[in-house]
Amino acid sequence: MTAIHTRAPALTIRAGRRTMKRLQEKPLTPGDVHVIPGAAGGPKALGLSGLDKAIFGDWLPRVEQERALIGSSVGSWRFAAIASSDNPQAQLTLLAELYTSQRFSKGVSAAEVTRQSTLFLEELIGGREDYILEHPWYRLNVVVVRSLGMLEPDTRARLGFGLMSAISANVVGRRHLGRFMERGILHDARRKAPLSPLADFASHEVPLSRENLLPALLASASIPMVMSGVRNIPGAPDGIYRDGGLLDYHLDLPYKQPGVVLYPHFTDRIVPGWFDKALPWRRGDATRLQDVLLVAPSPDYLERLPDGKLPDRKDFETYAGNDGSRERSCEKPLPRASAWGMSFSSCWKPAA
């Protein structure tokens, strides 16, 4: 993807080949955007809160049209919050507050993290299920994985062995992950996800409903060893479901849509799967990213943050016993929507 240099120091913008050509012909408008992906990344989502508010609270509503939201892990939680109200900015604020205020004791069990995460989701979108499922223009898609073989057990020792086996197989070739997991996409009942046929891994598609919305969201963020897997999502094939980021960490998917894939992201890299983070040669497929316009915090912006980075799960260890400091550090990456909005609305024409 080609970098676009702008005067907005808070943002890095990268464009796929076809999107760059479009932008050379005319500036982007909200009507050009039909798909928005949301990556896995845990607390890193806090760093996008202001940008999300500018995009979903001000810019996109200027053109009311159908748009697919495709989220994995925290990306699906962001999008569920956005689609759960006619005031997405308020829901994004609540999401950030709930995430920041989480507290876990040392050695917390996966069952306890799952219990607290369930309460988190219920507070965030409980009672708003119908609004999400009937949203006038957003179509939510939640990415999960169904565990196979050695990733099925939920006991710590056996699951740990299964994860080590999956990591080793992935080093040999990403395709080998098919022995350990299957992709699931729970989609808006009115329209399937705008993707070309998925041939890389066995995949299944299931319509979202009141019965499976919360279980799907919980499963999409159920990190192995950190949370318990979700058993038997209603309407989906039987099995143990886990974090969608295991296969689709940054959603390197074959998008099929008439316009631009606008991608608010934590980084300017596309990493296909969770196990690929330590493999620098694993990158997103450029042929799949031709219509993507990726917007991420710039290195200069990240350097100005308290720890020189976005919040992440390691902060719970770094700030163990000092949750107040962790919460204060998490609040720093949350600039007002208007600050992001000024940059966002003025940067869509590429430099000459």
Side-chain angles (χ1 to χ4, degrees), residues 22-348:
R22 292 174 68 107
L23 293 179
Q24 288 170 340
E25 295 171 353
K26 70 180 187 69
L28 187 73
T29 70
D32 296 323
V33 176
H34 296 267
V35 178
I36 304 100
K44 295 184 182 72
L46 297 174
L48 296 182
S49 183
L51 181 58
D52 279 345
K53 289 176 182 179
I55 293 173
F56 292 97
D58 175 50
W59 194 66
L60 287 178
R62 298 176 191 177
V63 177
E64 297 181 357
Q65 66 183 22
E66 183 176 290
R67 295 185 176 96
L69 310 179
I70 305 178
S72 178
S73 195
V74 73
S76 69
W77 290 31
R78 286 166 55 211
F79 291 159
I82 287 163
S84 67
S85 169
D86 60 359
N87 187 353
Q89 292 181 328
Q91 283 298 95
L92 286 165
T93 296
L94 176 60
L95 173 66
E97 290 173 350
L98 291 171
Y99 226 127
T100 302
S101 63
Q102 285 182 306
R103 298 193 176 193
F104 299 108
S105 59
K106 186 176 180 179
V108 63
S109 67
E112 175 59 17
V113 177
T114 299
R115 186 189 72 82
Q116 291 195 36
S117 298
T118 302
L119 294 175
F120 181 126
L121 272 176
E122 290 174 347
E123 187 169 352
L124 179 66
I125 62 168
R128 298 175 179 270
E129 293 90 345
D130 287 341
Y131 198 96
I132 295 171
L133 298 172
E134 299 171 5
H135 197 283
W137 56 85
Y138 290 139
R139 307 290 182 258
L140 180 64
N141 298 270
V142 180
V143 181
V144 299
V145 298
R146 185 167 75 106
S147 301
L148 303 175
M150 288 186 286
L151 282 191
E152 289 188 75
D154 234 359
T155 58
R156 191 169 185 86
R158 294 179 66 191
L159 180 57
F161 179 74
L163 285 170
M164 291 304 299
S165 299
I167 291 170
S168 299
N170 183 66
V171 172
V172 176
R174 181 166 152 79
R175 67 184 184 281
H176 296 297
L177 289 178
R179 306 202 312 266
F180 300 90
M181 61 192 82
E182 171 183 301
R183 177 189 290 117
I185 300 179
L186 289 97
H187 60 85
D188 188 293
R190 295 165 292 183
R191 185 178 293 274
K192 291 185 178 181
L195 302 171
S196 298
L198 297 165
D200 52 350
F201 296 99
S203 304
H204 64 264
E205 299 173 288
V206 177
L208 283 168
S209 66
R210 283 187 59 87
E211 292 70 34
N212 64 25
L213 177 59
L214 264 66
L217 289 168
L218 185 65
S220 188
S222 292
I223 304 170
M225 308 292 283
V226 176
M227 293 173 62
S228 305
V230 175
R231 182 178 294 276
N232 298 343
I233 295 175
D238 289 349
I240 300 292
Y241 286 83
R242 305 188 191 277
D243 195 313
L246 293 173
L247 270 184
D248 296 306
Y249 187 49
H250 289 172
L251 298 163
D252 178 26
L253 295 170
Y255 299 106
K256 184 180 180 181
Q257 78 300 314
V260 170
V261 177
L262 177 61
Y263 194 167
H265 194 18
F266 319 115
T267 175
D268 63 354
R269 297 171 54 213
I270 300 290
V271 179
W274 193 47
F275 300 128
D276 297 323
K277 292 189 289 183
L279 306 179
W281 60 89
R282 292 277 171 86
R283 292 290 183 269
D285 185 339
T287 61
R288 293 179 166 188
L289 302 175
Q290 295 183 77
D291 295 313
V292 169
L293 183 65
L294 186 149
V295 188
S298 70
D300 288 342
Y301 171 73
L302 294 176
E303 287 177 2
R304 296 197 298 269
L305 297 181
D307 296 316
K309 65 175 183 60
L310 294 174
D312 58 40
R313 286 192 299 113
K314 293 181 180 178
D315 292 341
F316 287 100
E317 300 175 9
T318 302
Y319 292 96
N322 191 3
D323 286 298
S325 294
R326 178 181 57 78
E327 291 175 8
R328 286 190 293 273
S329 71
C330 284
E331 291 170 357
K332 296 296 184 180
L334 300 176
R336 292 181 303 169
S338 59
W340 284 104
M342 290 175 63
S343 301
F344 181 78
S345 61
S346 64
C347 66
W348 296 120

